Amino acid sequence: MAKQFTLAQIADFLGETWQGEDLTITGLNTLEEAAGSDLSFLANPKYIKQIATTKAGAIIVSPNHAGEVKNAIISANPYFAFARCMGLFAEKEGFFQGISDQAFIDPSASIGENCTIYPFAVIGANAKIGDGCTIFPGVYIGEFCELGENCTLTPNCVLMSHTHLGDNCYLQPGVVLGGEGFGFVRTDFGIQKIPQIGHVHIADNVEIGANTTIDRAALAKTSVGKRTCIDNLVQIGHNVQIGEETLVISQVGIAGSTKVGNKCTLAGQVGLSGHLTIHDNVTIGPQAGVTKDIPENSVVSGSPTMDYSTYMRHCILQPKIPDLFKRVSALEKQIEKLEQELDSKK
Amino acid sequence: MAKQFTLAQIADFLGETWQGEDLTITGLNTLEEAAGSDLSFLANPKYIKQIATTKAGAIIVSPNHAGEVKNAIISANPYFAFARCMGLFAEKEGFFQGISDQAFIDPSASIGENCTIYPFAVIGANAKIGDGCTIFPGVYIGEFCELGENCTLTPNCVLMSHTHLGDNCYLQPGVVLGGEGFGFVRTDFGIQKIPQIGHVHIADNVEIGANTTIDRAALAKTSVGKRTCIDNLVQIGHNVQIGEETLVISQVGIAGSTKVGNKCTLAGQVGLSGHLTIHDNVTIGPQAGVTKDIPENSVVSGSPTMDYSTYMRHCILQPKIPDLFKRVSALEKQIEKLEQELDSKK
Amino acid sequence: MAKQFTLAQIADFLGETWQGEDLTITGLNTLEEAAGSDLSFLANPKYIKQIATTKAGAIIVSPNHAGEVKNAIISANPYFAFARCMGLFAEKEGFFQGISDQAFIDPSASIGENCTIYPFAVIGANAKIGDGCTIFPGVYIGEFCELGENCTLTPNCVLMSHTHLGDNCYLQPGVVLGGEGFGFVRTDFGIQKIPQIGHVHIADNVEIGANTTIDRAALAKTSVGKRTCIDNLVQIGHNVQIGEETLVISQVGIAGSTKVGNKCTLAGQVGLSGHLTIHDNVTIGPQAGVTKDIPENSVVSGSPTMDYSTYMRHCILQPKIPDLFKRVSALEKQIEKLEQELDSKK
């Protein structure tokens, strides 16, 4: 059953005051979509008119709006308070506990305390699973993999051999870590495969999105730093190194041996060539194509990338380029005419 | 065994007339590639010469070409008749029937009549599976999911908790529905995760391509409307709403909270920013990057997008831009010379 | 346990000479990252200073650098010798042997000699698996599929019915072959689905990257030629034909019925429209958008594509376009002034 709390219980959890009727809250929603047993919030003043029409049973508001609402929690930061409520209502994914005898666990693997291993999960030889991990169905953990504590591998994730996860990592469904890097070189005697003998190393508190792929290194390791969050369908090539607290949005592709610093943000569908260095605190706009190193604190966009203000002017001017061609043609005719005129006066 | 029909049986199925020998047809192919027991078709007059050289045993032709072919089905619309034959020869995917005792079905799940559940499928607590559904191996259906009637989930599809499918939905392999949306915000005290407590809601008759990912909503639901078709490796972010009868081609990415209308077509590798509204009947060209709302009945292309005619001129002119720079430099020199000439005459 | 060899054993394997101490080598790494029991290599002269600081136990060097290193293998081509060592140290993925009784194998399937089939793999009716194949957990092989000899299907790969693999094919995790092509057409009476009755045909020695999808043909087959290598998250549409020894880098999308020749290279995130012909030995730069046929031996880039030298000038000039607009405006003013001046003199 879904969770429910009284308005007073929620205010108590938030450490905030409340007013009105202490009704039972069964869910959270926007002002526009809330039902009568939902709690909502008003953070952006542009939605203030919705207070009159919302069906929400109660609203989190800032003190200056408390007079306009009957049932309310009063908070200096309604958005942040609401986000904390989302954590309160969030349910842990899954329905199974313990270690299924329909999982396949190699006898040489070691499993920590309080782990959950679902049916049809596979844990390979000499793998080590830390305490409190949850391994969903269809997950494959290859030989010599090591998982820290409290990792969650949702259905059908694959960790090929020797992959290392830190503590508290969360993998959405279908993630593939440690597939072979694309080590093919064209030679006079055909395509040669360079065997990929490195590994993937994921630090603590990393989240990885659905169907994202991170390749094992040719040598040494492909690595992702602490608290970095990677979205769905991202491709990370062999020997890439990503720093800490970086956000990588969906469908980004990072070619081999590129380094991305700490606290960077790579927007959706960005492509990075190989062997680049993206320094700390860089923001790269959507669909950008990066072919050069980027210094720290930069904001870039475009393909190939430009600094952000140049890119914005480029975007405004791009549809005017056909007109620019016409203007140049007109100038050429005017010049020709002027030249003729001057010539005729000589 | 593959299906086979006589020419007369096929004509009867189509409700059309036939001529020539009533041979046995074992397959369908183009005029160029057909073998002697294949049925082919002539729809585009540019292929008419192939009638002389094709090995096809019989051909679907329009009445005005009936005289040029021996064994034929005569149809006013040969292409459409041929497409119907493809449905006749199509075989239902799969080889297993009934409910495997090697599947894992939580006792609290409810399974409709006439379902097929393959080995190694997992159906979670309180899930409801409608009549006539087929659940292939490696599929994971989380707790409280609901499937309508006659849905097909091919191998290794994942539905995280509370995902809802209408009737007659067809999921290609590796689809992930209900993974957590990318709810990370950068704050002064590090990256904060916004728990994602909404769901995914797919309407009737929707088809979803291989390894496509659709994230659960932060609040409320991410939704896809009736008869919409989504191709492979598409990413659909949290709280996106897609209308009815829309086509989304492969590798498209749609960022959070964007709304796409009815009868839109999004070509391959298109990227849409978040919080946009794409109105009904919009066509977006391949690789376009959409950063603004798009009014109904528009055709746009480019990154950022332009209306289609501007984009086509842009494409023609883009390779001429280096030359335009030269023309402007030449003009600048001519002007300078003219100015000097005029000055010298003062 | 990881592999280890003495320096003399490795030199013997390579057919090269060695010098110094015959120490035990337990791994391979770059000069910068090597530990004392690692073998490294010097191929690029720009790293020569690292010879003084590396911790590598031994180094593969060319004859002219032999004097600068104590423990060394001497080779005319240190990079190539090192790559061969990577093959020596590479370990075959996996930990299981034989045919698991926890796999599901339809009684009508035929399994060759010396195959390994992991738990929770599924092999469908009338499928034929050649000798020496390895089928990892979560793999689904549909009815009437045929695999040649020595194929490896890593975890969670899916082959839908009638898919054909040649000998020595290697599929990274999560590959989907034979999903239905996107055969939807918009008609006056709604979206119609064209059933996809063709297959996927992969030739010998093909490698396919993680979570890549290749659709079955509408008719006949979608095909990939010998020794072609495809990276992760690539989308290949129905009836595409790819030649031999072609490299397709990650996140490329190829629309239906396009033909790609032999020895082509498609860089990351390239998109190809449908029904095109890319001839042999073509190189296409990253993120390019291809809308026209490309003649053989071409190098193209950009979206839409230009020849490479035009594209490079385009990249240099693109950030200067805002300035070009200013220059044209300045010219227009100058011209106007000149015209007035001339008029006043009439």
Tab-separated table of all heavy atoms in Angstrom, chain A residues 102 138 143 156 161 180 182 186 193 195 211 213 215 233 235 251-253 270 288-289 303 327 334 338 341, chain C residues 86 93-95 120 136 156 172 207 211 232 245 249-251 264-265 269 287 322 329 332 339 342 346:
chain	number	residue	atom	x	y	z
A	102	GLN	N	16.892	-19.490	-6.353
A	102	GLN	CA	16.826	-19.533	-7.824
A	102	GLN	C	17.855	-18.576	-8.449
A	102	GLN	O	17.853	-18.384	-9.664
A	102	GLN	CB	15.421	-19.154	-8.303
A	102	GLN	CG	14.396	-20.254	-8.029
A	102	GLN	CD	12.981	-19.766	-8.249
A	102	GLN	OE1	12.384	-19.127	-7.375
A	102	GLN	NE2	12.429	-20.058	-9.416
A	138	GLY	N	18.124	-10.965	-13.355
A	138	GLY	CA	18.769	-10.750	-14.639
A	138	GLY	C	20.092	-10.021	-14.546
A	138	GLY	O	20.719	-9.747	-15.577
A	143	GLU	N	33.301	-12.537	-12.896
A	143	GLU	CA	34.325	-13.002	-11.958
A	143	GLU	C	35.206	-11.842	-11.488
A	143	GLU	O	35.484	-10.920	-12.253
A	143	GLU	CB	35.182	-14.098	-12.600
A	143	GLU	CG	35.950	-13.690	-13.834
A	143	GLU	CD	35.143	-13.801	-15.125
A	143	GLU	OE1	33.909	-13.938	-15.058
A	143	GLU	OE2	35.771	-13.735	-16.203
A	156	ASN	N	18.690	-6.609	-14.912
A	156	ASN	CA	19.412	-6.787	-16.174
A	156	ASN	C	20.661	-5.927	-16.309
A	156	ASN	O	21.174	-5.751	-17.421
A	156	ASN	CB	18.476	-6.575	-17.372
A	156	ASN	CG	17.368	-7.625	-17.407
A	156	ASN	OD1	17.453	-8.633	-16.706
A	156	ASN	ND2	16.358	-7.417	-18.201
A	161	SER	N	33.835	-8.909	-15.926
A	161	SER	CA	34.840	-9.272	-14.915
A	161	SER	C	35.666	-8.097	-14.417
A	161	SER	O	35.985	-7.183	-15.181
A	161	SER	CB	35.773	-10.321	-15.493
A	161	SER	OG	36.499	-9.797	-16.574
A	180	GLU	N	33.988	-4.693	-23.569
A	180	GLU	CA	35.313	-4.410	-24.133
A	180	GLU	C	35.329	-3.061	-24.831
A	180	GLU	O	34.408	-2.735	-25.585
A	180	GLU	CB	35.706	-5.489	-25.132
A	180	GLU	CG	36.167	-6.741	-24.434
A	180	GLU	CD	36.699	-7.736	-25.422
A	180	GLU	OE1	35.880	-8.447	-26.024
A	180	GLU	OE2	37.918	-7.809	-25.597
A	182	PHE	N	36.449	-0.268	-27.634
A	182	PHE	CA	36.497	-0.415	-29.092
A	182	PHE	C	37.950	-0.326	-29.537
A	182	PHE	O	38.402	0.698	-30.060
A	182	PHE	CB	35.634	0.664	-29.734
A	182	PHE	CG	35.228	0.369	-31.150
A	182	PHE	CD1	34.317	-0.627	-31.430
A	182	PHE	CD2	35.761	1.107	-32.206
A	182	PHE	CE1	33.932	-0.892	-32.738
A	182	PHE	CE2	35.375	0.852	-33.518
A	182	PHE	CZ	34.463	-0.149	-33.784
A	186	ARG	N	43.000	-0.148	-37.908
A	186	ARG	CA	43.088	-0.557	-39.305
A	186	ARG	C	44.566	-0.624	-39.670
A	186	ARG	O	45.302	0.341	-39.464
A	186	ARG	CB	42.387	0.494	-40.161
A	186	ARG	CG	41.703	-0.027	-41.368
A	186	ARG	CD	41.080	1.089	-42.169
A	186	ARG	NE	39.754	1.477	-41.725
A	186	ARG	CZ	38.679	0.697	-41.867
A	186	ARG	NH1	38.769	-0.495	-42.402
A	186	ARG	NH2	37.503	1.124	-41.449
A	193	LYS	N	42.519	-6.339	-33.643
A	193	LYS	CA	41.874	-6.087	-32.361
A	193	LYS	C	42.931	-5.957	-31.277
A	193	LYS	O	43.799	-6.815	-31.142
A	193	LYS	CB	40.939	-7.250	-32.023
A	193	LYS	CG	40.286	-7.110	-30.651
A	193	LYS	CD	39.234	-8.184	-30.415
A	193	LYS	CE	38.570	-7.948	-29.051
A	193	LYS	NZ	37.373	-8.794	-28.890
A	195	PRO	N	43.430	-6.306	-27.577
A	195	PRO	CA	42.692	-6.828	-26.422
A	195	PRO	C	42.621	-5.773	-25.315
A	195	PRO	O	43.556	-4.999	-25.115
A	195	PRO	CB	43.539	-8.031	-25.986
A	195	PRO	CG	44.331	-8.410	-27.196
A	195	PRO	CD	44.608	-7.114	-27.902
A	211	ASN	N	20.445	1.528	-19.415
A	211	ASN	CA	21.057	1.145	-20.691
A	211	ASN	C	22.310	1.943	-21.032
A	211	ASN	O	22.751	1.952	-22.194
A	211	ASN	CB	20.039	1.215	-21.834
A	211	ASN	CG	19.039	0.072	-21.760
A	211	ASN	OD1	19.237	-0.887	-21.014
A	211	ASN	ND2	17.968	0.138	-22.514
A	213	THR	N	26.345	2.526	-21.110
A	213	THR	CA	27.462	1.580	-21.261
A	213	THR	C	28.787	2.260	-20.921
A	213	THR	O	29.063	3.361	-21.389
A	213	THR	CB	27.519	1.052	-22.711
A	213	THR	OG1	27.727	2.136	-23.608
A	213	THR	CG2	26.237	0.337	-23.102
A	215	ASP	N	32.849	1.267	-20.951
A	215	ASP	CA	33.758	0.218	-21.416
A	215	ASP	C	34.959	0.032	-20.496
A	215	ASP	O	35.476	0.997	-19.927
A	215	ASP	CB	34.282	0.566	-22.814
A	215	ASP	CG	33.253	0.329	-23.896
A	215	ASP	OD1	32.226	-0.330	-23.628
A	215	ASP	OD2	33.479	0.799	-25.019
A	233	LEU	N	21.422	5.902	-21.453
A	233	LEU	CA	21.908	5.731	-22.828
A	233	LEU	C	23.175	6.537	-23.111
A	233	LEU	O	23.415	6.972	-24.236
A	233	LEU	CB	20.807	6.108	-23.835
A	233	LEU	CG	19.601	5.152	-23.852
A	233	LEU	CD1	18.470	5.743	-24.683
A	233	LEU	CD2	19.987	3.793	-24.413
A	235	GLN	N	27.294	6.747	-23.458
A	235	GLN	CA	28.395	5.867	-23.826
A	235	GLN	C	29.702	6.460	-23.305
A	235	GLN	O	30.038	7.616	-23.615
A	235	GLN	CB	28.462	5.715	-25.344
A	235	GLN	CG	29.851	5.440	-25.921
A	235	GLN	CD	30.388	4.061	-25.572
A	235	GLN	OE1	29.745	3.273	-24.905
A	235	GLN	NE2	31.599	3.773	-25.993
A	251	GLN	N	22.349	10.292	-23.436
A	251	GLN	CA	22.819	10.128	-24.816
A	251	GLN	C	24.145	10.848	-25.083
A	251	GLN	O	24.558	10.973	-26.245
A	251	GLN	CB	21.735	10.567	-25.805
A	251	GLN	CG	20.488	9.678	-25.697
A	251	GLN	CD	19.392	10.063	-26.641
A	251	GLN	OE1	19.137	11.246	-26.857
A	251	GLN	NE2	18.719	9.079	-27.217
A	252	VAL	N	24.834	11.296	-24.055
A	252	VAL	CA	26.197	11.803	-24.239
A	252	VAL	C	27.113	10.646	-24.645
A	252	VAL	O	26.934	9.513	-24.191
A	252	VAL	CB	26.706	12.452	-22.928
A	252	VAL	CG1	28.218	12.650	-22.948
A	252	VAL	CG2	25.990	13.770	-22.678
A	253	GLY	N	28.094	10.961	-25.511
A	253	GLY	CA	29.120	9.980	-25.865
A	253	GLY	C	30.502	10.552	-25.587
A	253	GLY	O	30.796	11.674	-26.014
A	270	VAL	N	25.625	15.458	-26.090
A	270	VAL	CA	26.975	15.983	-26.322
A	270	VAL	C	27.904	14.843	-26.752
A	270	VAL	O	27.782	13.719	-26.276
A	270	VAL	CB	27.511	16.643	-25.026
A	270	VAL	CG1	29.019	16.795	-25.047
A	270	VAL	CG2	26.828	17.984	-24.804
A	288	ALA	N	26.422	19.587	-28.274
A	288	ALA	CA	27.730	20.140	-28.626
A	288	ALA	C	28.685	19.024	-29.054
A	288	ALA	O	28.592	17.890	-28.586
A	288	ALA	CB	28.309	20.909	-27.440
A	289	GLY	N	29.614	19.406	-29.956
A	289	GLY	CA	30.658	18.479	-30.392
A	289	GLY	C	32.005	19.025	-29.957
A	289	GLY	O	32.432	20.066	-30.449
A	303	SER	N	28.762	22.901	-32.292
A	303	SER	CA	29.535	21.791	-32.847
A	303	SER	C	30.241	22.289	-34.090
A	303	SER	O	29.591	22.490	-35.110
A	303	SER	CB	28.616	20.620	-33.192
A	303	SER	OG	29.349	19.558	-33.750
A	327	ARG	N	22.647	40.206	-49.162
A	327	ARG	CA	23.216	41.527	-48.889
A	327	ARG	C	24.594	41.659	-49.539
A	327	ARG	O	24.941	42.712	-50.093
A	327	ARG	CB	23.313	41.772	-47.382
A	327	ARG	CG	21.952	42.040	-46.739
A	327	ARG	CD	21.976	41.869	-45.235
A	327	ARG	NE	22.823	42.848	-44.588
A	327	ARG	CZ	23.141	42.815	-43.283
A	327	ARG	NH1	22.673	41.843	-42.505
A	327	ARG	NH2	23.919	43.740	-42.763
A	334	GLN	N	26.489	47.036	-56.216
A	334	GLN	CA	26.630	48.480	-55.948
A	334	GLN	C	28.071	48.929	-56.196
A	334	GLN	O	28.329	49.981	-56.793
A	334	GLN	CB	26.241	48.790	-54.496
A	334	GLN	CG	24.727	48.756	-54.267
A	334	GLN	CD	24.401	48.899	-52.779
A	334	GLN	OE1	24.576	47.942	-52.035
A	334	GLN	NE2	23.952	50.074	-52.379
A	338	LEU	N	29.495	51.667	-58.760
A	338	LEU	CA	30.288	52.819	-58.334
A	338	LEU	C	31.605	52.882	-59.081
A	338	LEU	O	32.067	53.948	-59.499
A	338	LEU	CB	30.566	52.743	-56.831
A	338	LEU	CG	29.404	53.119	-55.892
A	338	LEU	CD1	29.834	52.914	-54.450
A	338	LEU	CD2	28.992	54.564	-56.127
A	341	GLU	N	31.062	54.110	-62.476
A	341	GLU	CA	30.772	55.540	-62.436
A	341	GLU	C	32.064	56.350	-62.316
A	341	GLU	O	32.264	57.354	-63.005
A	341	GLU	CB	29.872	55.835	-61.231
A	341	GLU	CG	28.632	56.617	-61.567
A	341	GLU	CD	27.676	56.659	-60.389
A	341	GLU	OE1	27.086	55.587	-60.061
A	341	GLU	OE2	27.533	57.740	-59.782
C	86	MET	N	49.305	-7.732	-24.945
C	86	MET	CA	47.959	-7.562	-24.381
C	86	MET	C	47.123	-8.805	-24.677
C	86	MET	O	46.333	-9.238	-23.835
C	86	MET	CB	47.309	-6.295	-24.935
C	86	MET	CG	47.961	-5.035	-24.363
C	86	MET	SD	47.453	-3.505	-25.192
C	86	MET	CE	45.804	-3.282	-24.532
C	93	GLU	N	36.747	-14.008	-20.879
C	93	GLU	CA	35.652	-13.635	-19.986
C	93	GLU	C	34.855	-14.874	-19.592
C	93	GLU	O	34.583	-15.729	-20.425
C	93	GLU	CB	34.744	-12.650	-20.735
C	93	GLU	CG	33.718	-11.957	-19.907
C	93	GLU	CD	34.283	-10.824	-19.052
C	93	GLU	OE1	35.209	-10.126	-19.490
C	93	GLU	OE2	33.778	-10.648	-17.919
C	94	GLY	N	34.507	-14.922	-18.320
C	94	GLY	CA	33.593	-15.978	-17.870
C	94	GLY	C	34.208	-16.957	-16.902
C	94	GLY	O	35.436	-17.014	-16.747
C	95	PHE	N	33.349	-17.749	-16.256
C	95	PHE	CA	33.799	-18.609	-15.165
C	95	PHE	C	33.103	-19.959	-15.158
C	95	PHE	O	33.266	-20.739	-14.239
C	95	PHE	CB	33.559	-17.901	-13.829
C	95	PHE	CG	32.110	-17.603	-13.585
C	95	PHE	CD1	31.302	-18.520	-12.921
C	95	PHE	CD2	31.521	-16.440	-14.062
C	95	PHE	CE1	29.954	-18.282	-12.721
C	95	PHE	CE2	30.174	-16.184	-13.860
C	95	PHE	CZ	29.392	-17.110	-13.202
C	120	PHE	N	20.169	-19.740	-16.985
C	120	PHE	CA	19.201	-18.687	-17.350
C	120	PHE	C	19.376	-18.190	-18.791
C	120	PHE	O	18.826	-17.161	-19.168
C	120	PHE	CB	19.247	-17.502	-16.367
C	120	PHE	CG	19.333	-17.916	-14.917
C	120	PHE	CD1	20.187	-17.284	-14.031
C	120	PHE	CD2	18.573	-18.988	-14.454
C	120	PHE	CE1	20.286	-17.687	-12.707
C	120	PHE	CE2	18.666	-19.408	-13.113
C	120	PHE	CZ	19.522	-18.751	-12.239
C	136	PHE	N	26.130	-16.731	-22.583
C	136	PHE	CA	26.107	-16.257	-21.194
C	136	PHE	C	24.670	-16.179	-20.647
C	136	PHE	O	23.706	-16.306	-21.395
C	136	PHE	CB	26.783	-14.882	-21.120
C	136	PHE	CG	28.283	-14.953	-21.013
C	136	PHE	CD1	29.068	-15.194	-22.128
C	136	PHE	CD2	28.932	-14.793	-19.787
C	136	PHE	CE1	30.458	-15.261	-22.032
C	136	PHE	CE2	30.313	-14.853	-19.680
C	136	PHE	CZ	31.077	-15.087	-20.798
C	156	ASN	N	22.741	-11.174	-21.530
C	156	ASN	CA	21.541	-10.422	-21.879
C	156	ASN	C	21.453	-10.000	-23.337
C	156	ASN	O	20.678	-9.104	-23.685
C	156	ASN	CB	21.370	-9.198	-20.953
C	156	ASN	CG	21.152	-9.618	-19.502
C	156	ASN	OD1	20.904	-10.789	-19.235
C	156	ASN	ND2	21.255	-8.690	-18.577
C	172	GLN	N	28.907	-8.022	-27.386
C	172	GLN	CA	28.984	-7.462	-26.038
C	172	GLN	C	27.587	-7.510	-25.382
C	172	GLN	O	26.577	-7.730	-26.066
C	172	GLN	CB	29.507	-6.023	-26.105
C	172	GLN	CG	30.901	-5.900	-26.731
C	172	GLN	CD	31.991	-6.532	-25.894
C	172	GLN	OE1	31.862	-6.718	-24.697
C	172	GLN	NE2	33.087	-6.913	-26.549
C	207	GLU	N	32.161	-8.113	-34.633
C	207	GLU	CA	32.002	-7.783	-33.213
C	207	GLU	C	30.962	-6.678	-33.083
C	207	GLU	O	30.958	-5.727	-33.871
C	207	GLU	CB	33.336	-7.321	-32.611
C	207	GLU	CG	34.455	-8.334	-32.805
C	207	GLU	CD	35.338	-8.510	-31.580
C	207	GLU	OE1	35.085	-7.858	-30.548
C	207	GLU	OE2	36.267	-9.330	-31.645
C	211	ASN	N	24.558	-3.012	-25.988
C	211	ASN	CA	23.249	-2.361	-26.148
C	211	ASN	C	23.003	-1.817	-27.553
C	211	ASN	O	22.119	-0.966	-27.756
C	211	ASN	CB	23.050	-1.258	-25.096
C	211	ASN	CG	22.789	-1.842	-23.714
C	211	ASN	OD1	22.537	-3.033	-23.580
C	211	ASN	ND2	22.860	-1.027	-22.682
C	232	ASN	N	29.252	0.463	-29.243
C	232	ASN	CA	28.086	0.457	-28.349
C	232	ASN	C	26.977	1.401	-28.815
C	232	ASN	O	27.236	2.437	-29.416
C	232	ASN	CB	28.478	0.922	-26.945
C	232	ASN	CG	29.516	0.033	-26.285
C	232	ASN	OD1	29.842	-1.040	-26.776
C	232	ASN	ND2	30.034	0.475	-25.167
C	245	GLU	N	34.852	-5.171	-43.076
C	245	GLU	CA	35.944	-4.396	-42.464
C	245	GLU	C	35.593	-2.924	-42.287
C	245	GLU	O	36.453	-2.038	-42.417
C	245	GLU	CB	37.235	-4.532	-43.288
C	245	GLU	CG	37.691	-5.972	-43.369
C	245	GLU	CD	39.201	-6.129	-43.269
C	245	GLU	OE1	39.920	-5.122	-43.120
C	245	GLU	OE2	39.635	-7.292	-43.333
C	249	ILE	N	31.448	3.558	-35.102
C	249	ILE	CA	31.711	3.977	-33.723
C	249	ILE	C	30.392	4.235	-32.982
C	249	ILE	O	29.334	4.324	-33.604
C	249	ILE	CB	32.605	5.239	-33.714
C	249	ILE	CG1	33.793	5.060	-34.676
C	249	ILE	CG2	33.127	5.533	-32.317
C	249	ILE	CD1	34.706	3.922	-34.387
C	250	SER	N	30.479	4.428	-31.706
C	250	SER	CA	29.286	4.378	-30.854
C	250	SER	C	28.256	5.462	-31.174
C	250	SER	O	28.586	6.553	-31.616
C	250	SER	CB	29.669	4.473	-29.400
C	250	SER	OG	30.093	5.752	-29.092
C	251	GLN	N	27.001	5.115	-30.929
C	251	GLN	CA	25.844	6.010	-31.048
C	251	GLN	C	25.563	6.444	-32.479
C	251	GLN	O	24.771	7.367	-32.702
C	251	GLN	CB	26.005	7.230	-30.116
C	251	GLN	CG	26.033	6.819	-28.645
C	251	GLN	CD	26.205	7.968	-27.698
C	251	GLN	OE1	26.964	8.881	-27.961
C	251	GLN	NE2	25.516	7.925	-26.571
C	264	CYS	N	34.812	1.310	-44.593
C	264	CYS	CA	34.385	2.654	-44.200
C	264	CYS	C	34.606	2.847	-42.705
C	264	CYS	O	34.705	1.882	-41.948
C	264	CYS	CB	32.895	2.861	-44.511
C	264	CYS	SG	32.530	2.847	-46.272
C	265	THR	N	34.693	4.110	-42.286
C	265	THR	CA	34.743	4.429	-40.860
C	265	THR	C	33.678	5.478	-40.570
C	265	THR	O	33.709	6.579	-41.137
C	265	THR	CB	36.126	4.975	-40.463
C	265	THR	OG1	37.114	3.982	-40.765
C	265	THR	CG2	36.183	5.291	-38.970
C	269	GLN	N	28.253	9.114	-33.181
C	269	GLN	CA	27.031	9.934	-33.269
C	269	GLN	C	26.676	10.368	-34.684
C	269	GLN	O	25.811	11.239	-34.874
C	269	GLN	CB	27.121	11.153	-32.334
C	269	GLN	CG	27.250	10.763	-30.863
C	269	GLN	CD	27.232	11.932	-29.922
C	269	GLN	OE1	27.603	13.032	-30.275
C	269	GLN	NE2	26.809	11.701	-28.683
C	287	GLN	N	29.388	13.135	-35.470
C	287	GLN	CA	28.135	13.909	-35.450
C	287	GLN	C	27.675	14.348	-36.832
C	287	GLN	O	26.716	15.131	-36.942
C	287	GLN	CB	28.252	15.140	-34.526
C	287	GLN	CG	28.440	14.804	-33.063
C	287	GLN	CD	28.311	15.998	-32.159
C	287	GLN	OE1	28.738	17.089	-32.513
C	287	GLN	NE2	27.733	15.812	-30.978
C	322	PRO	N	29.365	36.035	-36.540
C	322	PRO	CA	28.823	37.297	-35.971
C	322	PRO	C	29.631	38.504	-36.435
C	322	PRO	O	29.059	39.547	-36.788
C	322	PRO	CB	28.952	37.071	-34.461
C	322	PRO	CG	28.850	35.587	-34.294
C	322	PRO	CD	29.549	35.006	-35.503
C	329	SER	N	27.482	44.989	-42.442
C	329	SER	CA	26.763	46.217	-42.070
C	329	SER	C	27.645	47.443	-42.282
C	329	SER	O	27.192	48.477	-42.795
C	329	SER	CB	26.312	46.155	-40.606
C	329	SER	OG	25.367	45.135	-40.439
C	332	GLU	N	27.863	48.229	-45.914
C	332	GLU	CA	26.627	48.850	-46.412
C	332	GLU	C	26.608	50.353	-46.108
C	332	GLU	O	26.173	51.160	-46.939
C	332	GLU	CB	25.409	48.148	-45.808
C	332	GLU	CG	25.200	46.763	-46.427
C	332	GLU	CD	24.204	45.909	-45.674
C	332	GLU	OE1	23.994	46.138	-44.462
C	332	GLU	OE2	23.651	44.989	-46.293
C	339	GLU	N	27.973	56.544	-52.200
C	339	GLU	CA	26.954	56.857	-53.200
C	339	GLU	C	26.454	58.294	-53.041
C	339	GLU	O	26.272	59.020	-54.026
C	339	GLU	CB	25.777	55.871	-53.092
C	339	GLU	CG	26.141	54.492	-53.638
C	339	GLU	CD	25.028	53.466	-53.451
C	339	GLU	OE1	24.205	53.626	-52.527
C	339	GLU	OE2	24.993	52.506	-54.221
C	342	LEU	N	29.102	60.663	-54.273
C	342	LEU	CA	29.125	60.738	-55.735
C	342	LEU	C	27.923	61.505	-56.267
C	342	LEU	O	28.040	62.309	-57.192
C	342	LEU	CB	29.149	59.335	-56.340
C	342	LEU	CG	30.543	58.714	-56.437
C	342	LEU	CD1	30.442	57.252	-56.860
C	342	LEU	CD2	31.397	59.494	-57.447
C	346	LYS	N	27.437	65.159	-58.709
C	346	LYS	CA	26.861	65.196	-60.046
C	346	LYS	C	26.393	66.588	-60.404
C	346	LYS	O	25.885	67.313	-59.553
C	346	LYS	CB	25.691	64.205	-60.125
C	346	LYS	CG	26.202	62.793	-60.375
C	346	LYS	CD	25.068	61.754	-60.440
C	346	LYS	CE	25.645	60.352	-60.503
C	346	LYS	NZ	24.604	59.331	-60.273
